[in-house]
Amino acid sequence: MKITRDLYQGSLTLLTDYYQFTMAYAYWKSGKAEQEAVFSLYFRKNPFQSGFTVAAGLDYVIDYCRNFSFQEPDLRYLLEMRNPDGSPSFETAFIDYLREMEFRCDIDAVEEGEVVFPNMPLVRVKGPLIQCQLLETPLLNLINFQTLIATKAARIVLAAKGDPVLEFGLRRAQGIDGALAASRAAYIGGCSSTSNVMAGKLFGIPVAGTHAHSWIMSFETELEAFEAYAESFPDNTVLLVDTYDTLNGVRNAIQVAEKLKANGKSLKGIRIDSGDLAYFSNKAREMLEKAGLNAVKIVASNDLDEHIITSLKLQEASIDVWGVGTKLVTAYDQPALGAVYKMSAMKDSKGDWQPKIKVSQQSIKINVPGFHNVKRFTLNGKAIGDMIYLEDTASKETVTIIDPIDPTRRKRIQTDQVEAKVLLVPIFRKGQKVYHRPDLHAVRQNTFDRLAQFDKTHKRLTNPHIYPVGLEETLYEVRTNLVLKTKPTEIAD
Amino acid sequence: MKITRDLYQGSLTLLTDYYQFTMAYAYWKSGKAEQEAVFSLYFRKNPFQSGFTVAAGLDYVIDYCRNFSFQEPDLRYLLEMRNPDGSPSFETAFIDYLREMEFRCDIDAVEEGEVVFPNMPLVRVKGPLIQCQLLETPLLNLINFQTLIATKAARIVLAAKGDPVLEFGLRRAQGIDGALAASRAAYIGGCSSTSNVMAGKLFGIPVAGTHAHSWIMSFETELEAFEAYAESFPDNTVLLVDTYDTLNGVRNAIQVAEKLKANGKSLKGIRIDSGDLAYFSNKAREMLEKAGLNAVKIVASNDLDEHIITSLKLQEASIDVWGVGTKLVTAYDQPALGAVYKMSAMKDSKGDWQPKIKVSQQSIKINVPGFHNVKRFTLNGKAIGDMIYLEDTASKETVTIIDPIDPTRRKRIQTDQVEAKVLLVPIFRKGQKVYHRPDLHAVRQNTFDRLAQFDKTHKRLTNPHIYPVGLEETLYEVRTNLVLKTKPTEIAD
């Protein structure tokens, strides 16, 4: 799929922060533009107090990078930019340099649908410093949002325990692409369908939907409205019963079901969109069963999320299908992931990689240095720990992984007794795509398969057991030494 | 501006919920498709516990409606849709009907930058039932998000009390358009600039930015990095001082300032992006003053919102410019507005408008019926109350406005002693645009001007004084009678 190219005319190369251009210009002026660097995109905390995160957005990143080039209108805009004193912000020679720029980075990334954790790289970019830098903002925008929504969806799907979850957040989503990308990510996370017809067309996601209250209100009576709808969709009749009075709506739906039956058809479902969902779904189920309509599905919606679904399940609500909108597509309880993109190494004049670190008063904000990757260890198909390591470290029989925030949390792994898988996969080499993108249905299946590798305690919706992710010892040492070298030993006064 | 057209290739007509199409089809089958209806877009609660809301997004709505038509690939997609049993969802004759469809609605709306309140119409659509229905989802998507962000921005700008507020949320925004539309809405709400270069190019918003930690990390020392940056931007040097140690960073910045001074230039600012902003900004200010650098601005950022800015102001932090990202562009504390779009009237077979209502167990969910509009009363330039009224009600000397949720809240207004302004402005007539769009800078000024009409107690960030908005008496009666007629008098059991 070529989403960004199909969806957005022209170039998205200007979809970046202005400071990327001021730095690009200053790198160019200082002769550093082509110096090789490595940047790592990672997040510091699972969202929603989750025990895991589901990666998504790589497909958009691939489109972005494949179309990375400056078009004449972009260059004209940059050329016309001015400093506060009216002088041009950029020299013409720099604009000419941008015009000739060809994408030349190596990119490695975890695949979409992969289960990921704090501090591990989701995307690693190696290339000319100037290109790595310009990519920072768009990569963060694309990965942050879709990863957030895929994770939220996966949590909601877990709460629904096998029931279908329908995504219908378009009306409350954050903008056009906030909706389209959310529908895509929600499907990756395990949703069964979307209400967004354009997302259906663009991504091949199944679409679903019935009717709104306005359908009912356009008729004199609810019964009349139900009958007319059933006539239009005799093979797919799902009726919204709560426009005026929910239980009366169920009674009317039962009447329509009997008419359908007389014609060899059947009522497929009813939908409840307001009120006490536990109470009304159970009452409705009772009434449907009394009428011999045991196969009729009850669809529920109204500000649902993983916690309300869990609560409704505990109350034994008679709900078969869950419609989820606002809380899913905006990731309502935490609407931003907060992933960052940090330089982790630069090649020095001798061609050796120098690890780089950004220290901070807040230790959670210190990055992982060096040219690093991540390995997942599994034992009998179960994930037991992830190791972030420097790529040039020789493999050992026994490794110890050390939590970067709490170094007393350590885990020792006998590497010859477990399976190991490198999570960063080559996506681009010297600017050329080398990765074959799976289709979206395969990505969705990927999510289910990868999540199945994790113990259920890590997937608990509240207070999950923390999955062990740590730095390999050599990397831990490199990092600690760099921090000590850089950080003032005294508390700032 | 033709944003949606410039930004998105082809048609956005499928950017709607699938149930709009199932209803459209069923309206068509039932012979109701061309029956005239009125729908009203409104919200039920100000976001962020705010005392007001700032309308935005109309410009996108205009683009959407002007491009409303079905393209062949859209029609093909719809034609290929299937019911669960494999039968086509829609007849070919319906697809042909869509192919010929021309946008024919009348749309009235409040202008962008207008101050609005719960229950009043922001957009009113009158036209063939089928067209009103198809527009529901895209209109909600476009208005909900931009109104939310414009309101958040207005609150942040109020908290900054005249200091410039820079928006730089792109990296954490919800998708590509979640960023672009947010930059636009943030500017409408009063922000001074964006970091998003593409938003700058598309909308003409001023862009701003300096450099990141990676700039510093690409040099051996911070001082070297500062000097190189100042060489590239001698007329616009703003230095990020917290890569390694904030106060040491300030010391280095002062060194660079002295070098700039020697060349007849000056350091414009420093930026602090982490740690205790009150403490570090005051320390930095002290150091800068000691060095005679009183004109150097201090820019602060790091998860700021209106509450943290207020707190920093109370602590007398020495901050001149506020950089706001995630919390603004995702409306972090309430990431969805929740506006709805409800049928309020339909023409009967005699050509008379019949008011329509959707009742609910939750009284806040009951809509305002009829063909209604909204008037703002002002006295000496100060807004004193808004009246929602039926357009065919004769004007009176004294009106009483009645709060729809709490009917004991009433306000009597002598209409001959105040100014009155109708807030819904004609945008489309019979599908043709009749509205002249102001440019974005004028819209931003509009926000400041309209907000100035309101007493400061309504603009208080927490526990604001509730501005009076009510139904005119006739409308209140129509609504009450409709509710009583429709609602069961007993509590559901």
Side-chain angles (χ1 to χ4, degrees):
Chain A
M1 280 170 300
K2 314 274 179 303
I3 296 323
T4 51
R5 206 179 60 192
D6 285 352
L7 196 55
Y8 300 96
Q9 254 180 341
S11 155
L12 282 175
T13 311
L14 293 192
L15 187 79
T16 195
D17 287 317
Y18 182 60
Y19 82 175
Q20 311 294 5
F21 282 106
T22 53
M23 281 190 280
Y25 178 67
Y27 285 138
W28 175 79
K29 289 280 281 184
S30 323
K32 298 174 82 79
E34 305 281 327
Q35 214 173 323
E36 221 176 355
V38 183
F39 282 70
S40 190
L41 188 154
Y42 65 98
F43 59 89
R44 292 164 178 147
K45 270 178 77 177
N46 288 312
F48 324 118
Q49 308 188 291
S50 176
F52 67 90
T53 293
V54 175
L58 177 61
D59 203 56
Y60 273 50
V61 167
I62 292 173
D63 284 329
Y64 187 91
C65 292
R66 292 185 82 184
N67 291 291
F68 183 89
S69 73
F70 290 91
Q71 308 298 311
E72 286 307 319
D74 302 339
L75 296 167
R76 211 172 311 126
Y77 178 74
L78 293 172
L79 195 56
E80 286 166 5
M81 298 197 87
R82 291 290 177 272
N83 289 318
D85 69 341
S87 63
S89 301
F90 308 115
E91 291 172 28
T92 309
F94 173 66
I95 304 298
D96 293 338
Y97 170 80
L98 293 181
R99 183 178 290 113
E100 300 304 318
M101 186 179 280
E102 276 177 25
F103 180 63
R104 286 193 284 119
C105 295
D106 286 0
I107 295 186
D108 297 75
V110 297
E111 295 192 274
E112 292 192 292
E114 187 60 270
V115 178
V116 292
F117 299 94
N119 299 309
M120 67 171 57
L122 304 195
V123 184
R124 188 183 72 193
V125 182
K126 176 173 146 248
L129 180 54
I130 193 168
Q131 296 192 7
C132 295
Q133 192 70 66
L134 287 168
L135 288 178
E136 174 176 18
T137 321
L139 262 54
L140 284 171
N141 175 274
L142 299 172
I143 298 286
N144 259 327
F145 178 51
Q146 292 196 42
T147 299
L148 184 75
I149 301 302
T151 307
K152 188 71 179 169
R155 287 168 58 80
I156 290 170
V157 168
L158 279 172
K161 294 180 184 289
D163 299 339
V165 175
L166 321 179
E167 174 272 311
F168 45 43
L170 170 54
R171 65 187 57 198
R172 304 279 167 79
Q174 298 205 344
I176 298 170
D177 185 61
L180 290 168
S183 296
R184 182 179 184 277
Y187 189 66
I188 290 178
C191 285
S192 299
S193 67
T194 180
S195 70
N196 185 336
V197 183
M198 193 165 168
K201 175 165 173 275
L202 284 172
F203 304 116
I205 305 171
V207 301
T210 57
H211 67 83
H213 297 121
S214 53
W215 170 261
I216 307 295
M217 290 157 70
S218 77
F219 288 81
E220 280 304 306
T221 69
E222 187 182 59
L223 185 61
E224 231 181 295
F226 281 179
E227 281 170 349
Y229 191 81
E231 269 165 47
S232 293
F233 291 97
D235 295 306
N236 197 14
T237 312
V238 179
L239 300 170
L240 177 62
V241 295
D242 69 343
T243 305
Y244 302 119
D245 172 66
T246 304
L247 297 184
N248 203 43
V250 177
R251 262 171 236 126
N252 285 332
I254 290 172
Q255 274 198 52
V256 172
E258 277 155 9
K259 258 201 185 163
L260 281 165
K261 218 179 194 171
N263 296 320
K265 305 287 185 181
S266 62
L267 178 67
K268 292 292 182 298
I270 61 168
R271 181 160 84 94
I272 307 173
D273 186 41
S274 63
D276 189 313
L277 297 176
Y279 173 82
F280 284 116
S281 68
N282 284 335
K283 277 280 174 189
R285 173 67 71 222
E286 231 174 71
M287 292 162 71
L288 289 167
E289 283 184 355
K290 212 175 270 175
L293 297 165
N294 299 30
V296 174
K297 302 280 187 208
I298 299 180
V299 187
S301 52
N302 193 14
D303 279 342
L304 297 178
D305 65 9
E306 66 271 43
H307 303 295
I308 296 175
I309 292 174
T310 301
S311 157
L312 286 165
K313 288 256 176 202
L314 278 171
Q315 295 169 70
E316 298 182 320
S318 302
I319 296 167
D320 307 294
V321 180
W322 307 85
V324 185
T326 314
K327 298 281 168 79
L328 167 55
V329 301
T330 64
Y332 204 86
D333 51 334
Q334 190 192 318
L337 177 60
V340 295
Y341 177 89
K342 295 286 172 192
M343 180 190 288
S344 67
M346 250 185 97
K347 259 194 189 154
D348 63 18
S349 49
K350 288 180 228 131
D352 293 327
W353 285 110
Q354 295 301 331
K356 292 284 181 176
I357 205 153
K358 188 251 170 264
V359 301
S360 171
Q361 258 83 14
Q362 299 155 267
S363 72
I364 195 177
K365 281 199 165 185
I366 301 173
N367 67 305
V368 177
F371 193 72
H372 59 271
N373 202 325
V374 58
K375 228 175 233 180
R376 175 155 302 156
F377 296 109
T378 50
L379 183 60
N380 304 322
K382 286 284 166 203
I384 58 164
D386 288 4
M387 175 175 82
I388 307 168
Y389 64 101
L390 294 168
E391 276 208 347
D392 59 3
T393 306
S395 42
K396 297 174 213 156
E397 245 175 62
T398 311
V399 294
T400 302
I401 59 174
I402 305 171
D403 185 308
I405 307 302
D406 172 7
T408 65
R409 283 195 82 221
R410 291 166 184 235
K411 182 166 185 163
R412 186 180 290 240
I413 293 165
Q414 292 287 115
T415 58
D416 53 354
Q417 288 167 23
V418 296
E419 301 281 318
K421 189 185 138 189
V422 175
L423 294 192
L424 290 183
V425 170
I427 310 294
F428 285 92
R429 282 296 172 266
K430 295 193 182 10
Q432 296 302 308
K433 184 168 80 76
V434 295
Y435 177 67
H436 175 75
R437 300 190 245 191
D439 82 9
L440 197 65
H441 310 293
V443 171
R444 179 171 180 267
Q445 189 54 48
N446 200 15
T447 307
F448 288 120
D449 295 346
R450 307 283 169 105
L451 271 172
Q453 293 186 313
F454 288 84
D455 191 75
K456 65 179 180 188
T457 59
H458 302 308
K459 292 180 279 193
R460 200 186 293 140
L461 296 178
T462 43
N463 296 327
H465 183 53
I466 307 296
Y467 177 76
V469 177
L471 307 183
E472 186 273 337
E473 280 165 296
T474 318
L475 175 55
Y476 179 77
E477 254 173 64
V478 168
R479 184 175 186 264
T480 307
N481 290 338
L482 265 176
V483 174
L484 293 175
K485 210 177 95 185
T486 321
K487 212 176 176 173
T489 45
E490 294 153 46
I491 299 297
D493 67 355
Chain B
M1 280 169 297
K2 313 277 176 303
I3 295 324
T4 52
R5 206 178 63 192
D6 285 353
L7 195 55
Y8 301 96
Q9 252 178 343
S11 154
L12 282 176
T13 311
L14 293 192
L15 187 79
T16 194
D17 287 315
Y18 181 59
Y19 82 174
Q20 312 294 4
F21 282 106
T22 53
M23 282 190 278
Y25 178 65
Y27 284 137
W28 176 79
K29 288 279 282 183
S30 322
K32 297 173 84 78
E34 304 282 327
Q35 215 175 321
E36 222 178 351
V38 183
F39 282 70
S40 188
L41 189 154
Y42 64 98
F43 59 88
R44 293 165 177 145
K45 271 177 77 178
N46 287 312
F48 323 119
Q49 309 188 292
S50 176
F52 67 90
T53 294
V54 175
L58 178 62
D59 203 56
Y60 272 51
V61 166
I62 293 173
D63 283 329
Y64 187 90
C65 292
R66 292 186 81 183
N67 292 290
F68 183 87
S69 72
F70 290 92
Q71 308 297 311
E72 286 308 319
D74 302 339
L75 296 168
R76 213 174 307 127
Y77 178 73
L78 293 172
L79 194 56
E80 285 165 6
M81 298 197 89
R82 291 291 176 268
N83 289 318
D85 69 343
S87 62
S89 301
F90 308 115
E91 290 172 29
T92 310
F94 174 66
I95 304 297
D96 293 338
Y97 170 80
L98 292 181
R99 182 179 291 112
E100 301 304 318
M101 187 179 279
E102 276 178 22
F103 181 62
R104 287 194 282 120
C105 295
D106 287 0
I107 295 187
D108 297 75
V110 297
E111 295 192 275
E112 292 193 292
E114 187 58 271
V115 177
V116 291
F117 299 94
N119 299 309
M120 68 172 56
L122 304 193
V123 183
R124 187 183 71 193
V125 182
K126 176 171 144 254
L129 180 54
I130 193 167
Q131 295 193 8
C132 293
Q133 192 71 66
L134 287 167
L135 288 178
E136 173 176 18
T137 321
L139 261 54
L140 284 171
N141 175 274
L142 299 172
I143 298 285
N144 259 328
F145 179 51
Q146 293 196 41
T147 298
L148 184 76
I149 301 303
T151 307
K152 188 71 179 169
R155 287 168 58 80
I156 291 169
V157 168
L158 279 172
K161 293 178 184 290
D163 297 341
V165 175
L166 321 178
E167 174 272 312
F168 46 44
L170 171 54
R171 63 187 57 200
R172 304 279 166 80
Q174 299 208 340
I176 298 169
D177 184 62
L180 291 168
S183 296
R184 181 178 185 278
Y187 189 66
I188 290 177
C191 285
S192 300
S193 68
T194 180
S195 70
N196 185 337
V197 183
M198 192 165 167
K201 176 166 172 275
L202 283 172
F203 305 115
I205 305 171
V207 300
T210 57
H211 67 82
H213 297 120
S214 52
W215 171 260
I216 307 295
M217 290 156 69
S218 77
F219 288 82
E220 281 304 304
T221 69
E222 187 181 59
L223 185 60
E224 230 180 295
F226 282 178
E227 282 170 347
Y229 191 82
E231 269 167 45
S232 292
F233 292 97
D235 295 306
N236 196 14
T237 311
V238 179
L239 301 170
L240 176 64
V241 295
D242 69 343
T243 305
Y244 304 119
D245 173 67
T246 304
L247 297 183
N248 203 42
V250 177
R251 262 170 237 125
N252 285 332
I254 290 172
Q255 274 198 53
V256 173
E258 277 155 6
K259 258 199 183 166
L260 280 165
K261 217 176 191 173
N263 295 320
K265 306 285 185 180
S266 61
L267 177 66
K268 292 291 183 296
I270 61 168
R271 182 160 83 95
I272 308 173
D273 185 41
S274 62
D276 189 312
L277 297 177
Y279 173 82
F280 284 116
S281 67
N282 285 334
K283 277 279 173 190
R285 172 68 68 221
E286 230 175 72
M287 292 161 72
L288 289 166
E289 284 184 355
K290 211 175 273 175
L293 297 165
N294 300 28
V296 174
K297 302 280 184 208
I298 299 181
V299 187
S301 50
N302 194 14
D303 280 341
L304 298 179
D305 65 10
E306 66 271 42
H307 304 296
I308 297 175
I309 292 174
T310 300
S311 157
L312 286 165
K313 288 257 175 199
L314 278 171
Q315 294 168 70
E316 299 182 322
S318 303
I319 296 166
D320 307 294
V321 180
W322 307 84
V324 184
T326 315
K327 298 281 167 79
L328 167 56
V329 301
T330 65
Y332 204 85
D333 52 336
Q334 188 190 319
L337 177 61
V340 294
Y341 177 88
K342 295 287 173 193
M343 180 191 290
S344 67
M346 249 184 98
K347 258 196 188 155
D348 62 19
S349 48
K350 289 181 227 131
D352 293 327
W353 284 110
Q354 294 300 332
K356 293 282 181 177
I357 205 155
K358 189 251 170 261
V359 300
S360 170
Q361 258 81 16
Q362 298 155 268
S363 70
I364 196 177
K365 280 197 165 185
I366 301 175
N367 67 304
V368 176
F371 193 73
H372 59 270
N373 202 326
V374 60
K375 227 175 233 179
R376 174 156 302 157
F377 296 109
T378 50
L379 183 61
N380 305 323
K382 285 286 167 200
I384 58 163
D386 288 4
M387 175 176 81
I388 307 168
Y389 64 102
L390 294 169
E391 278 208 346
D392 58 5
T393 307
S395 43
K396 296 175 216 158
E397 243 176 63
T398 311
V399 294
T400 303
I401 59 175
I402 306 171
D403 185 308
I405 307 302
D406 173 5
T408 64
R409 284 195 82 221
R410 292 168 182 231
K411 183 164 184 163
R412 187 181 287 241
I413 294 164
Q414 291 289 114
T415 58
D416 53 352
Q417 288 168 24
V418 297
E419 301 281 317
K421 188 184 141 190
V422 175
L423 295 191
L424 289 183
V425 170
I427 310 295
F428 285 93
R429 283 295 173 265
K430 294 193 182 10
Q432 296 303 309
K433 185 168 80 76
V434 295
Y435 177 67
H436 176 73
R437 300 189 245 193
D439 83 9
L440 197 64
H441 310 293
V443 171
R444 179 172 179 268
Q445 189 53 49
N446 199 16
T447 308
F448 287 121
D449 295 344
R450 308 282 169 107
L451 272 173
Q453 294 186 311
F454 289 84
D455 190 75
K456 66 180 180 188
T457 59
H458 302 307
K459 292 180 278 194
R460 201 187 292 141
L461 296 177
T462 43
N463 296 328
H465 182 53
I466 307 298
Y467 177 75
V469 177
L471 307 184
E472 184 274 337
E473 279 165 296
T474 318
L475 175 55
Y476 180 75
E477 253 172 65
V478 168
R479 184 175 186 264
T480 307
N481 290 336
L482 264 176
V483 174
L484 293 176
K485 210 179 95 184
T486 321
K487 212 175 176 176
T489 45
E490 294 152 47
I491 301 296
D493 66 359

